[in-house]
């Protein structure tokens, strides 16, 4: 029996507003699509959080034994400024400002995106298609939607007819918005005169003379609408109906709402069974924004070269920090929170490294089997990584108690504990132990080790001389420097 048949996974479905037991369309297989980046600038931490969240989903589904096809697109055309249907293409604008070709912009920031996610230990998706690589398919689906009477051409552009669609479907089903309310709150704008209704959205836009990213079509030389690429690429690689569609909370409306309408218009089927949305990241209690300066790039986080944090933090610590909150919760980045996460991360890594050294006994005081299922229960509850992490720290306490010979464990339970800690911490959460040279160079580490060993020897002599005041002072002063001493029958060891 496959593990996914034993563990009942529940996913919060944004479409239904509740958690539902996950049932894949095809037994043993999962199709998952996640909206990727528009590659016109360096990826920011808020985007990284979304992709780390869905990396967790990807990892856990694979751990459960599903064969997962994970598709995440690259938007390299069609995304206009402010998510609107007027103005410059974001990539074309960057190319104009930097005086380079648009595809140079795409290449530069796609490489940055991949390098950054690699540092966070994200697994690459199964397929990573691009919008420009699927222009033909986008034109074909527009033809199909026009033939079905749900889109119309106007002065070389093509618009989706929301009013017509809403006669037999529900536009707003994902976001909970009613079309009547949208109409009542919309003011007609001059730039929308080609549209029958303000709510209609572009499937194809006729290119203005200054628009440098353009392709021929039956209607005009132009470019596809931003929403269309995801409908085309998701259905091409996952089918007209697939299991999971994910993205940031900010994409729920209008992007994902339009995807549902396009997919339903083209195939007559609801394209996605489970919609998942990751929440935003804030910095010091405020929304991250380049315009206000309340912003930090991943590379600045890793190097410490920024004005908002007091020190550098490793990618694995940052990943651990992000996973301490549920993906649907707003998470605030702050120096204090990251420092606490760094200490917790190191405690976890130290405990995992200690497991092979533990002595076994005939009986266990730690119910490893129950603990292991509690870890699964956490992940089965909509990928609840903060609860899983809490369960891992329950095991950390037991590991330290066993090391101090205040608790016991059998060889069988020890094997289960070691395997489970590795699977949950490394395979599922995707954490990576931080090597010493990520924070200090090897020479400094060696010097620190020699000094600590010298102090341990002085403390040992103080205890033999019954000078417990000095012994305690050495221990406490080292603790103030984040150097923890551990006394066992075999002697004294330390962890940084």
């Amino acid at each position: 029996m496959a593990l996914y048949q034993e563990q009942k996974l529940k996913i919060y479905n944004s479409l239904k507003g509740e958690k539902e037991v996950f049932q894949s369309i095809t037994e043993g297989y999962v199709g998952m699509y996640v909206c990727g980046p528009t590659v016109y600038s360096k990826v920011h931490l808020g985007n990284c959080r979304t992709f780390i969240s869905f990396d967790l989903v990807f990892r856990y589904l694979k751990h459960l034994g599903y064969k997962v096809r994970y598709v995440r697109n690259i938007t390299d055309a069609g995304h206009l400024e402010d998510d609107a249907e007027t103005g410059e293409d974001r990539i074309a604008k960057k190319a104009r400002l930097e005086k380079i070709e648009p595809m140079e912009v795409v290449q530069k920031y796609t490489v940055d995106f991949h390098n950054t996610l690699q540092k966070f230990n994200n697994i690459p998706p199964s397929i990573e298609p691009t919008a420009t690589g699927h222009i033909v398919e986008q034109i074909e689906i527009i033809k199909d939607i026009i033939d079905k009477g749900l889109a119309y051409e106007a002065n070389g552009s093509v618009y989706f007819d929301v009013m017509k669609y809403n006669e037999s479907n529900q536009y707003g089903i994902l976001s909970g918005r009613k079309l009547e309310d949208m109409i009542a709150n919309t003011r007609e704008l001059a730039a929308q005169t080609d549209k029958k209704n303000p709510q209609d959205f572009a499937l194809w836009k006729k290119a203005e003379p200054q628009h440098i990213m353009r392709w021929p079509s039956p209607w005009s030389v132009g470019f596809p609408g931003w929403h269309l690429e995801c409908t085309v690429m998701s259905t091409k690689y996952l089918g007209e109906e697939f299991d999971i569609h994910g993205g940031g909370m900010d994409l729920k409306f209008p992007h994902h709402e339009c995807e549902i309408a396009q997919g339903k218009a083209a195939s007559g089927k609801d394209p996605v069974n489970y919609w998942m949305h990751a929440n935003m990241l804030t910095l010091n209690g405020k929304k991250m924004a380049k315009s206000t300066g309340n912003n930090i790039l991943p590379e600045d986080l890793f190097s410490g070269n920024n004005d908002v944090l007091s020190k550098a933090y490793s990618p694995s610590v940052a990943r651990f920090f992000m996973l301490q909150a549920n993906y649907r919760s707003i998470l605030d980045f702050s120096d204090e929170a990251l420092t606490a996460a760094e200490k917790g991360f190191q405690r976890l890594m130290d405990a995992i490294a200690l497991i092979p050294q533990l002595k076994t006994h005939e009986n266990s005081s730690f119910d490893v089997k129950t603990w292991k299922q509690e870890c699964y229960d956490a992940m089965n509850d909509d990928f609840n990584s903060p609860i899983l992490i809490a369960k891992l720290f329950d095991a950390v306490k037991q590991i330290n108690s066993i090391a101090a010979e205040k608790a016991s464990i059998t060889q069988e339970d020890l094997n289960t504990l070691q395997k489970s800690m590795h699977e949950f911490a490394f395979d599922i959460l995707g954490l990576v132990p931080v090597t010493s040279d990520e924070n200090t160079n090897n020479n400094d580490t060696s010097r620190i080790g020699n000094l600590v060993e010298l102090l341990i020897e002085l403390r040992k002599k103080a205890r033999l001389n019954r000078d417990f005041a000095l012994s305690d002072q050495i221990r406490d002063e080292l603790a103030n420097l984040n150097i923890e001493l551990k006394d066992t029958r075999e002697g004294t060891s330390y962890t940084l």
Side-chain angles (χ1 to χ4, degrees), residues 156-190:
S157 294
V158 180
Y159 296 97
F160 189 91
D161 193 334
V162 171
M163 295 287 282
K164 186 69 174 177
Y165 171 82
N166 210 56
E167 289 176 5
S168 54
N169 298 280
Q170 183 185 348
Y171 183 76
I173 190 171
L174 179 64
S175 60
R177 304 187 186 201
K178 293 183 179 180
L179 184 57
E180 302 79 32
D181 296 336
M182 285 187 260
I183 293 171
N185 294 324
T186 301
R187 181 167 53 89
E188 185 69 35
L189 300 177

Side-chain angles (χ1 to χ4, degrees), residues 188-467:
E188 185 69 35
L189 300 177
Q192 295 176 327
T193 52
D194 286 343
K195 297 182 182 182
K196 291 181 180 179
N197 302 286
Q199 285 70 37
D200 296 348
F201 55 89
L203 300 178
W204 185 267
K205 288 286 289 180
K206 180 180 179 180
E208 299 296 332
Q210 69 272 17
H211 199 102
I212 58 178
M213 300 184 77
R214 53 175 64 207
W215 293 265
S217 80
W219 313 285
S220 66
V221 174
F223 53 93
W226 171 42
H227 311 305
L228 192 63
E229 62 176 280
C230 289
T231 294
V232 164
M233 290 186 278
S234 62
T235 55
K236 176 173 181 175
Y237 298 109
L238 299 175
E240 293 177 340
E241 297 175 284
F242 57 95
D243 297 298
I244 298 171
H245 193 313
M249 193 75 75
D250 58 317
L251 298 179
K252 184 183 286 188
F253 186 89
H255 187 57
H256 290 162
E257 201 73 75
C258 294
E259 278 192 62
I260 292 175
Q262 292 166 162
K264 189 75 179 286
S267 69
K269 302 172 183 175
D270 293 315
V272 181
N273 283 355
Y274 303 86
W275 284 89
M276 298 178 65
H277 291 93
N279 217 323
M280 73 167 71
L281 195 65
T282 59
L283 180 61
N284 294 322
K286 299 177 182 178
K287 183 179 178 180
M288 284 193 184
K290 293 179 182 178
S291 57
T292 63
N294 193 55
N295 183 60
I296 180 172
L297 292 172
E299 62 188 41
D300 299 328
L301 173 71
F302 305 151
S303 67
N305 183 25
N306 62 82
D307 298 326
V308 292
L309 301 174
S310 65
K311 55 174 286 188
Y313 294 93
S314 73
S316 203
V317 166
R319 181 185 178 101
F320 177 71
F321 168 72
M322 293 187 199
L323 293 174
Q324 284 184 307
N326 183 270
Y327 74 93
R328 290 191 290 117
S329 303
I330 294 175
L331 176 63
D332 186 55
F333 244 69
S334 70
D335 211 33
E336 183 180 0
L338 280 164
T339 300
E342 186 175 52
K343 292 178 180 177
F345 173 83
Q346 198 55 55
R347 278 183 59 216
L348 178 60
M349 294 300 107
D350 289 345
I352 292 173
L354 190 59
I355 294 175
Q357 304 171 33
L358 298 180
K359 292 182 178 179
T360 58
H361 296 265
E362 293 183 1
N363 299 302
S364 286
S365 58
F366 178 29
D367 188 345
V368 177
K369 185 177 180 181
T370 297
W371 166 82
K372 179 181 175 181
Q373 185 56 50
E374 288 173 347
C375 290
Y376 276 114
D377 290 344
M379 286 302 294
N380 291 337
D381 184 18
D382 193 33
F383 310 98
N384 203 327
S385 55
I387 299 298
L388 171 61
I389 290 171
K391 294 299 175 183
L392 295 183
F393 278 107
D394 287 344
V396 168
K397 292 178 183 176
Q398 294 292 333
I399 290 166
N400 290 332
S401 292
I402 295 166
E405 299 186 8
K406 296 178 181 178
S408 60
I409 193 168
T410 64
Q411 186 64 56
E412 182 181 358
D413 282 347
L414 182 63
N415 294 341
T416 300
L417 176 64
Q418 185 170 16
K419 183 174 183 291
S420 298
M421 287 290 280
H422 188 281
E423 288 175 340
F424 286 114
F426 302 138
D427 297 344
I428 295 172
L429 292 178
L431 303 177
V432 178
V434 176
T435 57
S436 60
D437 58 359
E438 286 188 56
N439 295 314
T440 57
N441 62 46
N442 289 330
N443 289 335
D444 287 344
T445 302
S446 178
R447 291 191 190 101
I448 291 170
N450 291 336
L451 287 170
V452 173
E453 292 294 346
L454 174 61
L455 289 169
I456 288 174
E457 187 62 30
L458 292 173
R459 179 170 175 264
K460 180 180 177 181
K461 290 181 178 179
R463 295 174 77 180
L464 288 172
N465 294 330
R466 304 186 67 81
D467 188 351

Side-chain angles (χ1 to χ4, degrees), residues 38-40 76-81 87-103 105-106 210-214:
T38 301
V39 283
Y40 71 103
D76 57 354
H79 195 169
L80 305 187
E81 294 179 278
E88 276 192 278
D89 183 291
R90 295 184 179 194
I91 291 165
K93 180 178 180 180
K94 190 76 168 185
R96 178 174 57 80
L97 293 173
E98 296 190 5
K99 293 181 173 57
I100 58 176
E101 283 291 324
M103 286 301 114
V105 173
V106 168
Q210 69 272 17
H211 199 102
I212 58 178
M213 300 184 77
R214 53 175 64 207

